[in-house]
Coordinates of all heavy atoms in Angstrom, one line a residue:
M1 N 80.1 99.5 91.2 CA 80.8 100.8 91.2 C 79.8 101.9 90.8 O 79.2 101.8 89.8 CB 82.0 100.8 90.3 CG 83.1 101.7 90.8 SD 84.5 101.8 89.7 CE 84.7 100.3 88.9
D2 N 79.7 103.0 91.5 CA 78.8 104.0 91.2 C 79.5 105.0 90.2 O 80.7 104.9 89.8 CB 78.3 104.8 92.4 CG 79.4 105.5 93.2 OD1 80.5 105.5 92.7 OD2 79.1 106.0 94.2
R3 N 78.7 105.9 89.7 CA 79.1 106.8 88.6 C 80.4 107.6 89.1 O 81.3 107.8 88.3 CB 78.0 107.8 88.3 CG 78.2 108.6 87.1 CD 77.2 109.7 87.1 NE 75.9 109.4 86.7 CZ 75.3 109.8 85.5 NH1 76.0 110.5 84.7 NH2 74.1 109.4 85.2
R4 N 80.4 108.0 90.3 CA 81.4 108.9 90.8 C 82.8 108.2 90.8 O 83.8 108.7 90.4 CB 81.1 109.4 92.2 CG 81.8 110.7 92.6 CD 81.3 111.1 94.0 NE 82.2 112.1 94.6 CZ 82.2 113.4 94.3 NH1 81.4 113.9 93.5 NH2 83.1 114.2 94.9
S5 N 82.8 106.9 91.3 CA 84.0 106.2 91.4 C 84.5 105.8 90.0 O 85.7 105.7 89.7 CB 84.0 105.0 92.3 OG 82.7 104.4 92.3
K6 N 83.5 105.6 89.1 CA 83.9 105.3 87.7 C 84.6 106.5 87.1 O 85.6 106.4 86.4 CB 82.6 105.1 86.8 CG 82.3 103.6 86.6 CD 81.2 103.5 85.6 CE 80.3 102.3 86.1 NZ 78.9 102.5 85.6
H7 N 84.1 107.7 87.4 CA 84.8 108.9 86.9 C 86.2 109.1 87.5 O 87.1 109.5 86.8 CB 83.9 110.1 87.2 CG 82.8 110.3 86.3 ND1 82.1 111.4 86.1 CD2 82.3 109.4 85.4 CE1 81.1 111.2 85.2 NE2 81.2 110.0 84.8
K8 N 86.3 108.7 88.8 CA 87.7 108.8 89.4 C 88.6 107.8 88.7 O 89.8 108.2 88.4 CB 87.6 108.4 90.9 CG 87.4 109.6 91.8 CD 87.4 109.2 93.2 CE 86.7 110.2 94.0 NZ 86.0 109.7 95.2
V9 N 88.1 106.6 88.4 CA 89.0 105.7 87.6 C 89.4 106.2 86.3 O 90.5 106.1 85.9 CB 88.2 104.3 87.5 CG1 89.0 103.4 86.6 CG2 88.1 103.6 88.9
I10 N 88.4 106.8 85.6 CA 88.7 107.4 84.2 C 89.7 108.5 84.4 O 90.7 108.6 83.6 CB 87.4 107.9 83.6 CG1 86.5 106.7 83.2 CG2 87.7 108.8 82.4 CD1 85.1 107.2 82.8
L11 N 89.6 109.3 85.4 CA 90.5 110.4 85.6 C 91.9 109.9 85.9 O 92.9 110.5 85.3 CB 90.1 111.3 86.8 CG 89.1 112.4 86.4 CD1 88.7 113.2 87.7 CD2 89.7 113.4 85.4
I12 N 92.0 108.9 86.8 CA 93.3 108.4 87.1 C 94.0 107.7 85.9 O 95.1 107.9 85.6 CB 93.2 107.4 88.3 CG1 92.8 108.1 89.6 CG2 94.5 106.6 88.5 CD1 92.3 107.3 90.7
A13 N 93.1 107.0 85.1 CA 93.6 106.3 83.9 C 94.1 107.4 82.9 O 95.2 107.2 82.3 CB 92.5 105.5 83.3
W14 N 93.4 108.5 82.8 CA 93.7 109.5 81.9 C 95.1 110.1 82.3 O 96.0 110.4 81.5 CB 92.7 110.6 81.9 CG 93.0 111.8 81.0 CD1 92.8 111.9 79.7 CD2 93.7 113.0 81.4 NE1 93.4 113.1 79.2 CE2 93.9 113.8 80.2 CE3 94.2 113.4 82.6 CZ2 94.6 115.0 80.3 CZ3 94.9 114.7 82.6 CH2 95.0 115.4 81.5
F15 N 95.2 110.3 83.6 CA 96.5 110.9 84.1 C 97.7 110.0 83.9 O 98.7 110.5 83.5 CB 96.3 111.2 85.6 CG 97.3 112.1 86.2 CD1 97.4 113.4 85.8 CD2 98.2 111.7 87.1 CE1 98.4 114.3 86.3 CE2 99.2 112.5 87.7 CZ 99.3 113.8 87.2
I16 N 97.5 108.7 84.1 CA 98.6 107.8 83.8 C 99.0 107.8 82.3 O 100.1 107.9 82.0 CB 98.2 106.4 84.3 CG1 98.1 106.3 85.8 CG2 99.2 105.3 83.8 CD1 97.4 105.1 86.4
V17 N 97.9 107.8 81.4 CA 98.2 107.8 80.0 C 98.9 109.1 79.7 O 99.9 109.1 78.9 CB 96.9 107.7 79.2 CG1 97.1 108.0 77.7 CG2 96.3 106.3 79.4
F18 N 98.5 110.2 80.2 CA 99.1 111.5 80.0 C 100.6 111.5 80.4 O 101.4 112.0 79.6 CB 98.3 112.6 80.8 CG 98.8 114.0 80.6 CD1 98.6 114.6 79.3 CD2 99.4 114.7 81.6 CE1 99.1 115.9 79.1 CE2 99.8 116.0 81.4 CZ 99.7 116.6 80.1
L19 N 100.9 111.0 81.6 CA 102.3 110.9 82.1 C 103.1 110.0 81.2 O 104.2 110.4 80.8 CB 102.3 110.4 83.5 CG 101.9 111.4 84.6 CD1 102.1 110.8 86.0 CD2 102.7 112.7 84.5
L20 N 102.6 108.8 80.9 CA 103.3 107.8 80.1 C 103.6 108.4 78.7 O 104.7 108.3 78.2 CB 102.5 106.5 80.0 CG 102.6 105.6 81.2 CD1 101.7 104.4 80.9 CD2 104.0 105.2 81.5
M21 N 102.5 109.0 78.1 CA 102.7 109.5 76.8 C 103.6 110.7 76.8 O 104.5 110.8 75.9 CB 101.3 109.9 76.2 CG 101.3 109.8 74.7 SD 99.9 110.8 74.0 CE 100.6 112.4 74.4
G22 N 103.4 111.5 77.8 CA 104.3 112.7 77.9 C 105.8 112.4 78.0 O 106.6 112.9 77.3
S23 N 106.1 111.4 78.9 CA 107.5 111.1 79.0 C 108.0 110.3 77.8 O 109.2 110.3 77.5 CB 107.7 110.3 80.3 OG 106.9 109.1 80.3
G24 N 107.1 109.5 77.2 CA 107.5 108.7 76.0 C 107.8 109.5 74.8 O 108.7 109.2 74.0
V25 N 107.0 110.6 74.5 CA 107.1 111.3 73.2 C 107.8 112.6 73.4 O 108.1 113.3 72.4 CB 105.7 111.5 72.5 CG1 105.1 110.1 72.3 CG2 104.9 112.4 73.4
W26 N 108.1 113.0 74.6 CA 108.6 114.4 74.8 C 110.0 114.6 74.0 O 110.3 115.7 73.6 CB 108.8 114.7 76.3 CG 108.9 116.1 76.5 CD1 110.1 116.8 76.8 CD2 107.9 117.1 76.5 NE1 109.8 118.1 76.9 CE2 108.5 118.4 76.8 CE3 106.5 117.1 76.3 CZ2 107.8 119.5 76.9 CZ3 105.8 118.2 76.4 CH2 106.4 119.5 76.7
G27 N 110.7 113.5 73.9 CA 112.1 113.6 73.3 C 112.0 113.7 71.8 O 112.9 114.2 71.2
F28 N 110.8 113.3 71.2 CA 110.7 113.4 69.7 C 110.6 114.9 69.3 O 110.4 115.8 70.1 CB 109.4 112.7 69.2 CG 109.4 111.2 69.5 CD1 108.2 110.6 69.5 CD2 110.6 110.5 69.7 CE1 108.2 109.2 69.8 CE2 110.5 109.2 70.0 CZ 109.3 108.5 70.0
Q29 N 110.8 115.1 68.0 CA 110.8 116.4 67.5 C 109.5 117.1 67.7 O 109.4 118.3 68.1 CB 111.2 116.4 66.0 CG 111.5 117.8 65.5 CD 112.5 117.7 64.4 OE1 112.6 116.7 63.7 NE2 113.3 118.8 64.1
A30 N 108.4 116.4 67.4 CA 107.1 117.0 67.6 C 106.4 116.4 68.8 O 105.2 116.4 68.9 CB 106.2 116.7 66.3
G31 N 107.2 116.0 69.8 CA 106.6 115.4 71.0 C 105.7 116.3 71.8 O 104.6 115.9 72.2
H32 N 106.1 117.5 72.0 CA 105.3 118.4 72.8 C 104.0 118.8 72.0 O 103.0 119.0 72.6 CB 106.1 119.7 73.1 CG 106.7 120.4 71.9 ND1 107.9 119.9 71.3 CD2 106.3 121.4 71.2 CE1 108.2 120.7 70.3 NE2 107.2 121.6 70.2
L33 N 104.1 118.7 70.7 CA 102.9 118.9 69.9 C 101.9 117.8 70.1 O 100.7 118.1 70.2 CB 103.3 119.0 68.4 CG 102.4 119.9 67.5 CD1 102.7 121.4 67.9 CD2 102.7 119.6 66.1
M34 N 102.4 116.6 70.2 CA 101.5 115.4 70.4 C 100.8 115.6 71.8 O 99.7 115.2 71.9 CB 102.3 114.1 70.3 CG 102.6 113.7 68.9 SD 103.8 112.4 68.8 CE 102.8 111.0 69.4
V35 N 101.6 116.0 72.8 CA 101.0 116.2 74.1 C 99.9 117.3 74.0 O 98.8 117.1 74.6 CB 102.1 116.6 75.1 CG1 101.5 116.9 76.5 CG2 103.1 115.4 75.3
I36 N 100.2 118.3 73.3 CA 99.1 119.4 73.2 C 97.9 118.9 72.5 O 96.8 119.1 72.9 CB 99.7 120.6 72.4 CG1 100.8 121.3 73.3 CG2 98.6 121.6 72.1 CD1 101.6 122.3 72.6
V37 N 98.1 118.1 71.4 CA 97.0 117.5 70.7 C 96.2 116.6 71.6 O 94.9 116.6 71.6 CB 97.5 116.7 69.4 CG1 96.3 115.9 68.8 CG2 98.0 117.7 68.4
F38 N 96.9 115.7 72.4 CA 96.2 114.8 73.3 C 95.4 115.6 74.3 O 94.3 115.3 74.6 CB 97.3 114.0 74.0 CG 96.8 113.1 75.1 CD1 96.1 112.0 74.7 CD2 96.9 113.4 76.4 CE1 95.6 111.1 75.7 CE2 96.4 112.5 77.4 CZ 95.7 111.4 77.0
F39 N 96.0 116.8 74.8 CA 95.3 117.6 75.8 C 94.1 118.2 75.2 O 93.0 118.2 75.8 CB 96.3 118.7 76.2 CG 96.1 119.2 77.6 CD1 96.4 118.4 78.7 CD2 95.4 120.4 77.8 CE1 96.1 118.8 80.0 CE2 95.2 120.8 79.1 CZ 95.5 120.0 80.2
M40 N 94.2 118.7 73.9 CA 93.0 119.3 73.3 C 91.9 118.3 73.1 O 90.7 118.6 73.3 CB 93.4 119.9 71.9 CG 94.4 121.0 72.0 SD 93.8 122.5 72.7 CE 93.1 123.3 71.3
A41 N 92.3 117.1 72.6 CA 91.3 116.0 72.4 C 90.6 115.7 73.8 O 89.4 115.5 73.8 CB 92.0 114.8 71.9
S42 N 91.4 115.6 74.8 CA 90.8 115.4 76.2 C 89.8 116.5 76.5 O 88.7 116.2 77.1 CB 91.8 115.3 77.2 OG 92.8 114.4 76.9
L43 N 90.1 117.7 76.2 CA 89.3 118.9 76.5 C 88.0 118.8 75.8 O 86.9 119.0 76.4 CB 90.0 120.1 76.2 CG 89.4 121.4 76.7 CD1 89.6 121.5 78.2 CD2 90.1 122.6 76.1
V44 N 88.1 118.4 74.5 CA 86.9 118.3 73.7 C 86.0 117.2 74.2 O 84.8 117.3 74.4 CB 87.3 118.0 72.2 CG1 86.0 117.5 71.4 CG2 87.9 119.2 71.6
F45 N 86.6 116.0 74.6 CA 85.9 114.9 75.2 C 85.2 115.3 76.5 O 84.0 115.0 76.7 CB 86.9 113.8 75.5 CG 86.2 112.6 76.0 CD1 85.5 111.7 75.2 CD2 86.3 112.3 77.4 CE1 84.9 110.6 75.8 CE2 85.7 111.2 77.9 CZ 85.0 110.3 77.1
Y46 N 85.9 116.1 77.3 CA 85.3 116.6 78.6 C 84.2 117.5 78.3 O 83.1 117.4 79.0 CB 86.4 117.3 79.4 CG 85.8 118.0 80.6 CD1 85.4 117.3 81.7 CD2 85.7 119.4 80.6 CE1 84.8 118.0 82.8 CE2 85.1 120.1 81.7 CZ 84.6 119.3 82.7 OH 84.0 120.0 83.8
L47 N 84.3 118.4 77.4 CA 83.2 119.3 77.1 C 82.0 118.6 76.6 O 80.9 118.9 77.0 CB 83.7 120.4 76.0 CG 84.6 121.4 76.5 CD1 85.1 122.3 75.4 CD2 83.9 122.3 77.6
L48 N 82.2 117.6 75.7 CA 81.1 116.8 75.2 C 80.4 116.1 76.4 O 79.2 116.2 76.5 CB 81.6 115.7 74.2 CG 81.8 116.1 72.8 CD1 82.3 115.0 72.0 CD2 80.4 116.6 72.2
A49 N 81.2 115.5 77.2 CA 80.6 114.8 78.4 C 79.9 115.8 79.3 O 78.8 115.5 79.8 CB 81.7 114.1 79.2
A50 N 80.5 117.0 79.5 CA 79.9 117.9 80.3 C 78.5 118.4 79.8 O 77.6 118.6 80.6 CB 80.8 119.2 80.5
F51 N 78.3 118.5 78.5 CA 77.1 118.9 78.0 C 76.1 117.8 77.8 O 74.9 118.0 77.8 CB 77.3 119.6 76.6 CG 77.7 121.0 76.8 CD1 79.0 121.4 76.7 CD2 76.8 122.0 77.2 CE1 79.4 122.7 76.9 CE2 77.1 123.3 77.4 CZ 78.5 123.7 77.2
L52 N 76.6 116.5 77.6 CA 75.7 115.4 77.4 C 75.2 114.8 78.7 O 74.1 114.2 78.7 CB 76.4 114.4 76.5 CG 76.7 114.8 75.1 CD1 77.4 113.7 74.3 CD2 75.4 115.2 74.4
M53 N 76.0 114.9 79.8 CA 75.6 114.3 81.0 C 74.6 115.2 81.7 O 75.0 116.3 82.2 CB 76.8 114.0 81.9 CG 77.5 112.7 81.5 SD 78.6 112.2 82.8 CE 79.6 113.6 83.1
R54 N 73.3 114.9 81.7 CA 72.4 115.8 82.3 C 71.6 115.0 83.3 O 71.4 113.8 83.3 CB 71.4 116.3 81.2 CG 72.1 117.4 80.3 CD 71.3 117.7 79.1 NE 72.0 118.6 78.3 CZ 71.9 119.9 78.4 NH1 71.1 120.5 79.3 NH2 72.7 120.7 77.6
C55 N 71.0 115.8 84.3 CA 70.2 115.3 85.3 C 68.9 114.7 84.7 O 68.3 115.3 83.8 CB 69.8 116.4 86.3 SG 68.6 116.0 87.4
P56 N 68.6 113.4 85.1 CA 67.4 112.8 84.5 C 66.1 113.6 84.8 O 65.1 113.4 84.2 CB 67.4 111.4 85.1 CG 68.2 111.5 86.3 CD 69.2 112.6 86.1
K57 N 66.1 114.4 85.9 CA 64.9 115.0 86.3 C 64.7 116.4 85.8 O 63.7 116.7 85.2 CB 64.9 115.1 87.9 CG 63.5 115.2 88.5 CD 63.6 115.0 90.0 CE 62.5 115.7 90.7 NZ 62.8 115.8 92.1
C58 N 65.8 117.2 85.9 CA 65.6 118.7 85.5 C 66.4 119.0 84.2 O 66.3 120.1 83.8 CB 66.0 119.6 86.6 SG 67.7 119.6 87.1
R59 N 67.1 118.1 83.7 CA 67.9 118.3 82.4 C 69.0 119.3 82.5 O 69.5 119.7 81.5 CB 66.9 118.6 81.2 CG 65.7 117.8 81.1 CD 65.9 116.3 81.0 NE 66.7 116.0 79.8 CZ 67.4 114.9 79.6 NH1 67.3 114.0 80.6 NH2 68.0 114.6 78.5
M60 N 69.4 119.7 83.7 CA 70.5 120.6 83.8 C 71.8 119.7 83.7 O 71.9 118.6 84.2 CB 70.5 121.2 85.2 CG 69.6 122.4 85.4 SD 70.1 123.9 84.6 CE 71.3 124.4 85.8
P61 N 72.9 120.3 83.1 CA 74.1 119.5 83.0 C 74.6 119.3 84.4 O 74.7 120.2 85.2 CB 75.1 120.5 82.2 CG 74.2 121.4 81.5 CD 72.9 121.5 82.3
V62 N 75.0 118.0 84.7 CA 75.3 117.7 86.1 C 76.6 118.2 86.6 O 76.9 118.4 87.8 CB 75.2 116.2 86.4 CG1 73.8 115.6 86.3 CG2 76.2 115.4 85.5
L63 N 77.5 118.5 85.6 CA 78.8 119.1 86.0 C 78.8 120.6 86.2 O 79.8 121.1 86.7 CB 79.9 118.8 84.9 CG 80.1 117.3 84.7 CD1 81.2 117.1 83.6 CD2 80.6 116.6 85.9
L64 N 77.7 121.2 85.9 CA 77.6 122.6 86.1 C 77.2 122.9 87.6 O 76.3 122.3 88.1 CB 76.4 123.2 85.2 CG 76.4 124.7 85.0 CD1 77.7 125.1 84.3 CD2 75.2 125.0 84.1
R65 N 78.1 123.7 88.2 CA 77.9 123.9 89.6 C 77.7 125.3 90.0 O 78.6 126.1 89.8 CB 79.3 123.4 90.3 CG 79.3 123.3 91.7 CD 80.7 123.1 92.1 NE 81.3 121.8 91.8 CZ 81.7 121.0 92.7 NH1 81.7 121.3 94.0 NH2 82.2 119.8 92.4
P66 N 76.5 125.7 90.4 CA 76.2 127.1 90.7 C 76.9 127.4 92.0 O 76.9 126.7 93.0 CB 74.7 127.1 90.9 CG 74.2 125.7 91.0 CD 75.3 124.8 90.7
R67 N 77.5 128.6 92.1 CA 78.2 129.1 93.3 C 77.7 130.5 93.5 O 77.5 131.3 92.6 CB 79.7 129.1 93.1 CG 80.4 127.8 93.2 CD 81.8 128.0 92.8 NE 82.4 126.8 92.4 CZ 82.9 125.8 93.2 NH1 82.8 126.0 94.5 NH2 83.4 124.7 92.7
K68 N 77.7 130.9 94.8 CA 77.4 132.3 95.1 C 78.8 133.0 95.3 O 79.7 132.5 96.0 CB 76.7 132.4 96.4 CG 75.2 132.0 96.2 CD 74.3 133.3 96.2 CE 72.9 133.0 96.1 NZ 72.3 133.1 94.8
F69 N 79.0 134.1 94.6 CA 80.2 134.8 94.7 C 79.9 136.3 94.7 O 79.4 136.8 93.8 CB 81.2 134.5 93.6 CG 82.5 135.2 93.6 CD1 83.4 134.9 94.6 CD2 82.8 136.2 92.7 CE1 84.6 135.5 94.6 CE2 84.0 136.9 92.7 CZ 84.9 136.5 93.7
L70 N 80.2 137.0 95.8 CA 79.9 138.4 96.0 C 78.5 138.7 95.6 O 78.2 139.7 95.0 CB 80.9 139.3 95.1 CG 82.4 139.1 95.4 CD1 83.2 139.9 94.4 CD2 82.7 139.6 96.8
G71 N 77.6 137.8 96.1 CA 76.2 138.1 95.8 C 75.7 137.7 94.4 O 74.5 137.8 94.1
M72 N 76.6 137.3 93.6 CA 76.2 136.9 92.2 C 76.2 135.4 92.1 O 76.9 134.7 92.8 CB 77.3 137.5 91.2 CG 77.3 138.9 91.0 SD 78.4 139.5 89.8 CE 80.0 138.9 90.4
E73 N 75.3 135.0 91.2 CA 75.3 133.5 90.9 C 76.3 133.2 89.8 O 76.2 133.7 88.7 CB 73.9 133.2 90.5 CG 73.7 131.7 90.3 CD 72.9 131.0 91.3 OE1 73.1 131.3 92.6 OE2 72.0 130.2 91.0
L74 N 77.3 132.4 90.1 CA 78.3 132.1 89.2 C 78.2 130.6 88.9 O 77.8 129.8 89.8 CB 79.7 132.4 89.7 CG 80.1 133.8 89.7 CD1 81.6 133.9 90.1 CD2 80.0 134.5 88.3
F75 N 78.6 130.2 87.7 CA 78.6 128.8 87.4 C 80.0 128.3 87.1 O 80.7 129.0 86.4 CB 77.7 128.5 86.2 CG 76.2 128.6 86.4 CD1 75.6 129.8 86.1 CD2 75.5 127.6 87.1 CE1 74.3 129.9 86.4 CE2 74.2 127.8 87.3 CZ 73.5 128.9 87.0
T76 N 80.4 127.2 87.8 CA 81.7 126.7 87.5 C 81.5 125.2 87.0 O 80.4 124.6 87.3 CB 82.6 126.7 88.7 OG1 82.0 126.0 89.8 CG2 83.0 128.1 89.1
W77 N 82.5 124.7 86.4 CA 82.4 123.3 85.9 C 83.3 122.5 86.8 O 84.4 122.8 87.1 CB 82.9 123.2 84.4 CG 82.0 124.0 83.5 CD1 82.1 125.3 83.1 CD2 80.8 123.5 82.9 NE1 81.1 125.6 82.3 CE2 80.3 124.5 82.1 CE3 80.2 122.2 82.8 CZ2 79.2 124.4 81.3 CZ3 79.0 122.1 82.1 CH2 78.5 123.2 81.3
S78 N 82.7 121.3 87.2 CA 83.6 120.4 88.0 C 83.9 119.2 87.1 O 83.2 118.9 86.2 CB 82.8 120.0 89.3 OG 81.6 119.3 88.9
I79 N 85.0 118.6 87.5 CA 85.5 117.4 86.7 C 84.7 116.2 87.1 O 84.3 115.3 86.3 CB 87.0 117.2 86.9 CG1 87.7 118.5 86.2 CG2 87.5 116.0 86.2 CD1 89.2 118.5 86.4
L80 N 84.5 116.0 88.4 CA 83.8 114.8 88.9 C 82.3 115.1 89.0 O 81.9 116.3 89.4 CB 84.3 114.5 90.3 CG 85.6 113.7 90.4 CD1 86.0 113.6 91.8 CD2 85.4 112.3 89.7
T81 N 81.5 114.1 88.7 CA 80.0 114.3 88.9 C 79.7 114.4 90.4 O 80.3 113.6 91.1 CB 79.2 113.2 88.3 OG1 80.0 112.0 88.5 CG2 78.9 113.4 86.8
P82 N 78.9 115.3 90.8 CA 78.4 115.3 92.2 C 77.5 114.1 92.5 O 77.0 113.5 91.5 CB 77.7 116.6 92.3 CG 77.2 116.9 90.9 CD 78.2 116.3 90.0
E83 N 77.3 113.8 93.8 CA 76.4 112.7 94.1 C 75.0 113.0 93.8 O 74.2 112.1 93.4 CB 76.6 112.3 95.6 CG 77.7 111.3 95.8 CD 78.4 111.5 97.1 OE1 77.8 111.6 98.1 OE2 79.7 111.6 97.0
R84 N 74.6 114.2 93.9 CA 73.2 114.5 93.6 C 73.2 115.8 92.7 O 74.2 116.6 92.8 CB 72.3 114.7 94.8 CG 72.9 115.3 96.0 CD 72.0 115.2 97.2 NE 71.9 113.8 97.7 CZ 70.7 113.1 97.7 NH1 69.6 113.7 97.2 NH2 70.6 111.9 98.1
C85 N 72.2 116.0 92.0 CA 72.0 117.2 91.1 C 72.2 118.5 91.9 O 71.5 118.6 93.0 CB 70.7 117.1 90.4 SG 70.4 118.6 89.4
R86 N 73.0 119.4 91.5 CA 73.1 120.7 92.2 C 71.9 121.6 92.0 O 71.8 122.5 92.7 CB 74.3 121.4 91.7 CG 75.6 120.7 91.7 CD 76.4 120.9 93.0 NE 77.4 119.9 93.1 CZ 78.2 119.8 94.1 NH1 78.0 120.5 95.2 NH2 79.1 118.9 94.2
H87 N 71.1 121.2 91.1 CA 70.0 122.1 90.7 C 68.7 121.7 91.5 O 68.1 122.5 92.1 CB 69.8 122.0 89.2 CG 68.8 123.1 88.7 ND1 69.2 124.4 88.8 CD2 67.6 123.0 88.2 CE1 68.2 125.1 88.3 NE2 67.2 124.3 87.9
C88 N 68.4 120.4 91.4 CA 67.1 119.9 92.0 C 67.3 118.9 93.1 O 66.4 118.5 93.8 CB 66.2 119.3 90.9 SG 66.8 117.8 90.2
G89 N 68.6 118.4 93.3 CA 68.8 117.5 94.4 C 68.6 116.1 94.1 O 68.7 115.2 95.0
E90 N 68.2 115.8 92.9 CA 68.0 114.4 92.5 C 69.3 113.6 92.6 O 70.3 114.0 92.1 CB 67.5 114.4 91.0 CG 67.3 113.0 90.4 CD 65.9 112.4 90.8 OE1 65.2 113.0 91.6 OE2 65.6 111.3 90.2
S91 N 69.2 112.4 93.2 CA 70.4 111.5 93.3 C 70.8 111.0 91.9 O 70.0 110.6 91.1 CB 70.1 110.4 94.2 OG 71.2 109.5 94.2
L92 N 72.1 111.1 91.7 CA 72.6 110.7 90.3 C 73.4 109.4 90.4 O 73.9 109.0 89.3 CB 73.6 111.8 89.8 CG 73.1 113.2 89.7 CD1 74.2 114.2 89.5 CD2 72.1 113.3 88.6
G93 N 73.4 108.7 91.5 CA 74.1 107.5 91.7 C 73.9 106.5 90.6 O 74.8 105.9 90.1
Ligands
ZN101 ZN1 68.3 118.0 88.6

């Protein structure tokens, strides 16, 4: 399994946990709070992964995706790793 399909599996697993936990704890008094905490923890985890996963060749974060918008260079973050580095084209498989 390559890196990209591993990430898909992680995302799907996360989504299932999110749904199960959401429907399981929503009825509790602090259920929505737990969902928010879970969401924040996931966000922190994603941010860590986004900064730690770097291209082996040019050291750019692989989730950072440069885009052209109205002539400006904008950077957006993607959830899935691309197949090759957006910066130097190095394969990340
Ligand atoms: Zn690169």
Side-chain angles (χ1 to χ4, degrees):
M1 210 186 327
D2 63 7
R3 191 198 281 248
R4 199 175 165 86
S5 34
K6 262 187 221 153
H7 281 195
K8 266 185 205 148
V9 169
I10 292 171
L11 272 179
I12 291 166
W14 178 86
F15 193 64
I16 291 169
V17 170
F18 183 67
L19 284 183
L20 283 179
M21 208 199 70
S23 59
V25 301
W26 197 259
F28 298 159
Q29 195 150 22
H32 53 283
L33 212 70
M34 282 167 74
V35 173
I36 290 169
V37 167
F38 177 74
F39 208 75
M40 297 293 273
S42 307
L43 192 71
V44 168
F45 181 79
Y46 169 73
L47 285 176
L48 275 179
F51 279 101
L52 293 178
M53 282 196 305
R54 284 169 186 269
C55 170
K57 201 168 157 196
C58 68
R59 313 304 299 161
M60 282 285 282
V62 293
L63 296 180
L64 197 61
R65 190 191 286 241
R67 283 174 203 275
K68 284 260 185 256
F69 179 71
L70 300 174
M72 289 183 299
E73 184 108 314
L74 285 184
F75 289 97
T76 56
W77 296 91
S78 59
I79 294 175
L80 281 173
T81 35
E83 268 143 53
R84 40 190 66 247
C85 175
R86 305 269 168 187
H87 193 67
C88 67
E90 175 82 353
S91 173
L92 302 167

